[in-house]
Amino acid sequence: MRVNRILLSVPLIVVALVIQVSVLARLHLPGAVPDLLLLTVLGLAMVYGHVGGALIGFGAGLLADLAPPADHAAGRYALVLCVIGYLAGLVKPENGQIKSATGPMLVVVAAAAGSTLLYAGVGALVGDTAARHVGLTGLLFSAALYDLLLAPFVVPGVMFLARRAENDPLAETNSAAKASDISSGWLSSGTGLKIGGQRGGLKLRAAKSRATRAGRIKGVKRL
């Protein structure tokens, strides 16, 4: 990943995790908890693509697995967010601009439901049956609803910051330097051709003037 992407993603992930653990997790809402970390990963993945989304999702999930008060096996949520980040990055538009909010909202709903199912599936493999006490249907509905309500306040801002970070001044300076080198190369080659033409013209004029002088000298001697 690029340095500017890491410098932006790390603070966003840390802030999202702190708010997730200290504020959203203590609201005691029925069903699931609004997943601010998931929305942050989605916003970054839809700008950086599937590779960047997978890496960011894995790092964010692993950080959530290790942060207290985590009560599940380490790596469980890292796997979930890695898969979700990869899939969300596949819907990245080619020009980087999203014309309608319908697409991102559908991605949020699919990611909320998919992450819940995947988290419950991985939990079933490791023997965690906590989802059975709440009900998987209730978790799916509440997770999609909470994330959908929170998404307009999170995803557009994250995507905006990610696009701004892509316009790296260092990259623009390097590209401008390369362009100036190329343009200077063209100018120098063009100047060289002009100078060569001028040199050829000067040589031709000098030869003509010498021939004229020689003719005049011969005419004077004959007289």
Side-chain angles (χ1 to χ4, degrees), residues 133-158:
H133 301 286
V134 181
L136 187 58
T137 304
L139 284 176
L140 289 174
F141 178 77
S142 58
L145 178 61
Y146 296 154
D147 291 347
L148 189 60
L149 293 176
L150 188 60
F153 305 98
V154 178
V155 177
V158 173

Side-chain angles (χ1 to χ4, degrees), residues 6 16 104 117 166-167 195 205 208 214 218:
I6 298 176
L117 289 174
E166 286 293 275
N167 299 326
I195 292 175
R205 291 177 184 177
K208 289 181 178 180
K218 290 180 180 179

Side-chain angles (χ1 to χ4, degrees), residues 66-144:
L66 299 177
D71 56 352
H72 55 268
R76 180 177 173 184
Y77 202 48
L79 175 62
V80 173
L81 287 188
C82 180
V83 175
I84 296 299
Y86 179 85
L87 296 177
L90 294 177
V91 302
K92 172 189 174 183
E94 295 181 358
N95 57 358
Q97 298 294 332
I98 297 178
K99 299 180 180 179
S100 175
T102 305
M105 293 299 103
L106 293 177
V107 172
V108 169
V109 174
S115 62
T116 303
L117 289 174
L118 187 58
Y119 187 83
V122 176
L125 292 177
V126 297
D128 185 3
T129 59
R132 296 179 181 178
H133 301 286
V134 181
L136 187 58
T137 304
L139 284 176
L140 289 174
F141 178 77
S142 58

Side-chain angles (χ1 to χ4, degrees), residues 170-211:
L170 295 178
E172 293 179 358
T173 304
N174 294 334
S175 61
K178 292 180 181 178
S180 63
D181 292 340
I182 295 173
S183 61
S184 62
W186 279 103
L187 291 175
S188 63
S189 62
T191 306
L193 291 175
K194 291 181 179 179
I195 292 175
Q198 292 176 357
R199 289 177 179 176
L202 292 175
K203 290 180 180 179
L204 183 59
R205 291 177 184 177
K208 289 181 178 180
S209 62
R210 290 175 183 175

